[in-house]
Amino acid sequence: QVQLVESGGGLVQAGGSLRLSCAASGRTFSSYAMGWFRQAPGKEREFVAAIRWRGGSTYYADSVKGRFTTSRDNAENTVYLQMNSLKPEDTAVYYCAAALDFEGLGYGQIYEYDYWGQGTQVTVSS
């Protein structure tokens, strides 16, 4: 079992920044790829970003590329999502998720992830 707890959400004006954190406990964190997803009211949950354990490669949805950065600290069992130049359309509940890392992992697919946090609300005002 892996337990994930997100923090860092809040209310910010358009153009502002927030940094989300996701603290993991339980099984070996460093064996897992970590993903960030978000879900806006009335919409499906969507992929935002992911970071692999092996090599630390990162991947981003087109909608956040160049504005968001994900990183991880395996020693601290924590993954981060730095969000800059926020837009009102970024408003959503943000979730972190963990998937056992392997060659061929579909990092953007919800079904690949075994463990999920409870989510943290991000609201961007115009």
Side-chain angles (χ1 to χ4, degrees):
Q1 285 283 352
V2 174
Q3 291 80 42
L4 303 173
V5 178
E6 301 99 336
S7 61
L11 173 64
V12 64
Q13 288 188 331
S17 298
L18 282 174
R19 188 175 82 154
L20 305 184
S21 299
C22 174
S25 61
R27 302 187 68 176
T28 306
F29 173 73
S30 59
S31 299
Y32 287 81
M34 300 299 296
W36 290 96
F37 292 77
R38 66 186 181 187
Q39 188 166 16
K43 295 188 177 181
E44 294 186 351
R45 192 169 298 190
E46 64 176 3
F47 169 74
V48 175
I51 183 166
R52 305 293 292 269
W53 168 56
R54 298 179 184 276
S57 297
T58 55
Y59 308 91
Y60 300 94
D62 288 342
S63 58
V64 306
K65 204 170 292 183
R67 299 188 298 122
F68 291 12
T69 302
T70 188
S71 60
R72 64 190 295 161
D73 184 338
N74 287 339
E76 295 295 326
N77 287 357
T78 302
V79 64
Y80 304 96
L81 183 68
Q82 177 67 43
M83 306 185 295
N84 299 327
S85 302
L86 282 160
K87 305 175 181 180
E89 51 263 44
D90 294 318
T91 295
V93 177
Y94 283 71
Y95 300 88
C96 68
L100 276 173
D101 202 352
F102 65 96
E103 188 68 28
L105 173 69
Y107 53 85
Q109 302 300 320
I110 290 174
Y111 62 78
E112 291 280 20
Y113 292 83
D114 302 304
Y115 304 102
W116 292 81
Q118 82 288 351
T120 185
Q121 177 70 47
V122 171
T123 303
V124 185
S125 63
S126 58

